[in-house]
Amino acid sequence: MTARVVVVGSANLDLVVTAPQLPRPGETVLGDGFRTVPGGKGANQAVAAARAGADCAFVGAVGADDFGAQLRDNLTAAGVDVGGLRTVDAPSGVALIAVDHAAENCIVVAPGANATLTDLHPADRAAVGAGDVLLLQLEVPLAAVTQAADRARADATTVVLNAAPARPLPVELLDLVDVLVVNEHEAAVVAGLFIDEPAALLDALVALVPRVVLTLGARGAAYADRNGTRLQVPAPAIEAVDTTAAGDAFTGALAVALAERGGTLTAATAPAVLRWACAAGAACAQRPGASPALPDRAAIDTLHAATYGAEE
């Protein structure tokens, strides 16, 4: 049976400008390209999970505008179940993204309709309970995130939280998280530390949640749990074009790999799960844009095999 991943999160239309370098405060930089791309961390991760092979359902909100129609159509085209995507009386969310020629980016998000997702409908809760993995981020109100995690815990659905954008998190939510996925900046914010040393960050985070996946960009990803497991896997060596959605590709693929293993992440399964997720993130970074760059399962498998050898 196909693994089922349920995503509760944001949907934005990304307005993307490319330029030789990112502007500093007060500086205007002349860009050399512009495009509009369906995005939002929640929608990106839903598309990533669907393309990676999961039966994926999305719970979110868009406006009754052209942007909202584009976002709905993009999810549907990727095979995502949009029964939980509500249309509300608010503008759809947008993200203003600048990408430089080194593939670095900076992003400003206007939540719009995403901010109205403060409560889950009964059908949304039922969808969460029927999933193998619930995938959450922080671009929608914490009330909805916590409600979804609480329902998942009640129905033994594994809760994966990508704590982005970074913010301190209440104990009520952390106690419901099975796997926390963060980059180094997000890890420091969640842990309340002013350091960037991965081992110390992992030690601090496993005091808050039972399992942590720390993404390290071109250096790969690390894993820690409360049983004392500490490990790191390398990322595929690629020439990055645009890293905008690479983290979402990683997290969506990780959720699929977990769902296919019954939602369980252990010291024994973590290396394979992280390698496959790293292959997804790297495959995404080889293409421009957010949602259009998210790789399908074949692309992930190809880069995984080329980097790490045969599947475990």
Side-chain angles (χ1 to χ4, degrees):
M1 186 170 63
T2 303
R4 185 165 179 81
V5 174
V6 180
V7 180
V8 176
S10 61
N12 299 318
L13 195 72
D14 293 347
L15 310 178
V16 185
V17 174
T18 56
Q21 67 274 337
L22 300 178
R24 294 169 294 183
E27 180 184 18
T28 298
V29 172
L30 186 63
D32 50 25
F34 173 75
R35 63 189 183 276
T36 59
V37 184
K41 296 198 73 64
N44 283 347
Q45 291 177 16
V47 171
R51 290 184 182 164
D55 175 13
C56 185
F58 180 68
V59 176
V62 295
D65 49 28
D66 289 344
F67 286 179
Q70 291 180 54
L71 293 168
R72 184 180 295 274
D73 289 347
N74 183 67
L75 287 161
T76 301
V80 176
D81 177 355
V82 294
L85 180 59
R86 61 189 77 170
T87 300
V88 300
D89 185 19
S92 294
V94 297
L96 307 179
I97 302 174
V99 182
D100 69 15
H101 290 181
E104 294 297 328
N105 65 73
C106 61
I107 304 172
V108 177
V109 176
N114 297 299
T116 72
L117 192 70
T118 58
D119 187 49
L120 299 189
H121 297 161
D124 302 333
R125 296 187 182 95
V128 167
D132 297 303
V133 169
L134 169 66
L135 182 52
L136 301 165
Q137 319 79 31
L138 300 176
E139 287 186 343
V140 296
L142 277 179
V145 173
T146 305
Q147 280 183 31
D150 187 61
R151 177 58 187 257
R153 176 59 58 86
D155 289 319
T157 297
T158 299
V159 178
V160 177
L161 173 64
N162 177 208
R167 69 176 80 173
L169 296 174
V171 173
E172 293 78 12
L173 175 57
L174 290 169
D175 285 347
L176 298 169
V177 173
D178 294 300
V179 182
L180 179 69
V181 182
V182 284
N183 63 25
E184 290 170 281
H185 166 70
E186 293 154 0
V189 173
V190 173
L193 299 175
F194 297 96
I195 58 173
D196 58 3
E197 207 289 308
L201 290 172
L202 289 170
D203 288 343
L205 290 173
V206 292
L208 303 176
V209 296
R211 299 166 198 85
V212 178
V213 173
L214 180 65
T215 60
L216 301 169
R219 292 176 289 142
Y223 170 79
D225 62 32
R226 287 177 175 171
N227 294 323
T229 304
R230 300 290 187 276
L231 61 89
Q232 182 173 335
V233 303
I238 61 160
E239 183 175 342
V241 173
D242 184 354
T243 60
T244 301
D248 294 331
F250 177 99
T251 306
L254 181 138
V256 175
L258 278 182
E260 292 177 347
R261 291 166 172 77
T264 302
L265 186 62
T266 67
T269 63
V273 169
L274 265 63
R275 283 194 285 266
W276 201 65
C278 281
C284 179
Q286 290 178 304
R287 300 175 59 191
S291 185
L294 296 167
D296 61 18
R297 193 177 187 102
I300 299 170
D301 286 343
T302 297
L303 186 54
H304 177 279
T307 303
Y308 308 110
E311 294 268 3
E312 289 90 344

